[in-house]
Structure formats: C-alpha cells, structure tokens
Amino acid sequence: MMRQPVWFRLAAGLTLWALPALAASAVELPTRKAGLWEIKMLRTGGPMPEMTMQHCTDEATDKQMTSTFSPMAKDACSRNETAKTATGYTTDSICTVSGMTMTSHSDVTGDFNSAYTVKVTSHSQGGPAGAARDSNTTLDAKWLGACKADQKPGDIVMPGGLKMNIKDMEKLKALAPK
C-alpha cells in the first residue's frame, strides 16, 4: 500500500521537473536515438535521493511525450523559452502546479545519440510545505543499445524494479492536483 503514494509522488515530481523541458517552443530539443537509455538523476537541495532508471524509447514515443505534456506545460508555465547555444540548449521557465511556483534554468549538452546531460537549477515556492527551496538536478543519460526483449517503447524501469510506461502518464493527468 505504501508503494503507490511513493510512486505517485515520484511521478508527480518528475512530471513537474519535465514540464519545462518537454513543452513545445520555437526551438525543440532533438529526438533521442531509439533504444534503451540509462538516466542517472542526482538532486541536491531536495527530498529526492540519487536514482537510476532505464527508459526504452523510439522516435514516435519521444515525440508523443512532447505532444502529451506540451498542453500541460502551456497551461502551467507563464514563461518557457528554449534556445540553441554553442554547446547545446538552454531553457528558462516559470511554472506553477498545485500552488507551487518553480523558476528553473536548464542547460542541455550532448548528442542525443550516445549521451546527453541536463543540468537544472531551480527555485520553488509555495505548495503544501509553503517554504522556498533551491535545488540543483543533474541528469546524465547514456544510450545502452537496443531495448530488452521484454520492453516496449515508453517503458521506464524505476529503482526497485517498478516498471511503468510513459504512455500511461496521459491517464495520470486526470489524477494530478489542479
């Protein structure tokens, strides 16, 4: 019984973080190479511990993630600007979800074929705790090869072996706090 609330909080936290990065903008991030990606996330200044997950993806799934979350981000973000830089991309955003406002700056580097890194600096205020919080999150992603035989595009294997499919996140939008 304890697993569902932890999973839901994790999914909600990842979704909140992902909104600015996945939202449609004049400049779009490249589509990742199809296959199995290992994503290591390290966050300082927040309650989430370091974690590693695996994500099986293909071009259609990456594009679907953008189209699925883009309307949520459009509604939640008053600012969302992505720009191409000499070394990759930057995104600056201000988003509000469930009474919590998050201002963030992301730097994305890498080639999206073998590896990429996302560094996010954010400041959040409001929400259930009400306190302001600064955090730094780094995602290091590397391409491992083809997806495993029992995986389909969109599958994410979380720490502890919990498996979900990103395509099911569309169903979770109805559960998200307004």
Side-chain angles (χ1 to χ4, degrees):
M1 197 62 138
M2 184 67 170
R3 194 168 214 171
Q4 185 177 8
V6 170
W7 176 84
F8 185 77
R9 283 193 304 266
L10 179 60
L14 289 174
T15 301
L16 178 61
W17 174 84
L19 283 175
L22 296 175
S25 112
V27 175
E28 292 186 22
L29 297 177
T31 302
R32 293 179 295 169
K33 181 177 184 175
L36 186 60
W37 286 86
E38 178 181 81
I39 304 168
K40 292 182 181 182
M41 182 169 70
L42 175 62
R43 183 172 180 181
T44 58
M48 246 193 268
E50 179 176 343
M51 63 183 214
T52 301
M53 60 190 118
Q54 292 186 344
H55 185 196
C56 173
T57 192
D58 62 7
E59 182 177 356
T61 303
D62 260 15
K63 288 183 180 191
Q64 182 181 4
M65 284 173 45
T66 300
S67 66
T68 296
F69 291 109
S70 182
M72 284 175 61
K74 186 177 180 183
D75 291 341
C77 301
S78 61
R79 178 180 183 209
N80 187 36
E81 299 166 0
T82 300
K84 176 86 174 101
T85 67
T87 58
Y89 299 85
T90 62
T91 299
D92 289 294
S93 62
I94 301 171
C95 302
T96 302
V97 176
S98 301
M100 179 175 22
T101 299
M102 179 183 287
T103 303
S104 65
H105 174 82
S106 305
D107 289 307
V108 183
T109 57
D111 64 9
F112 295 88
N113 287 310
S114 62
Y116 64 91
T117 299
V118 181
K119 293 185 178 188
V120 182
T121 303
S122 63
H123 174 80
S124 60
Q125 191 156 350
R133 182 187 326 245
D134 292 318
S135 68
N136 295 304
T137 304
T138 301
L139 280 87
D140 284 315
K142 69 178 179 179
W143 189 76
L144 300 178
C147 295
K148 296 177 183 173
D150 65 339
Q151 293 177 323
K152 62 183 184 279
D155 281 352
I156 297 174
V157 179
M158 303 295 284
L162 176 65
K163 185 177 175 180
M164 62 182 207
N165 192 290
I166 196 70
K167 294 175 183 179
D168 294 332
M169 294 298 283
E170 178 75 24
K171 298 171 191 168
L172 287 178
K173 285 197 308 188
L175 299 174
K178 304 286 186 232

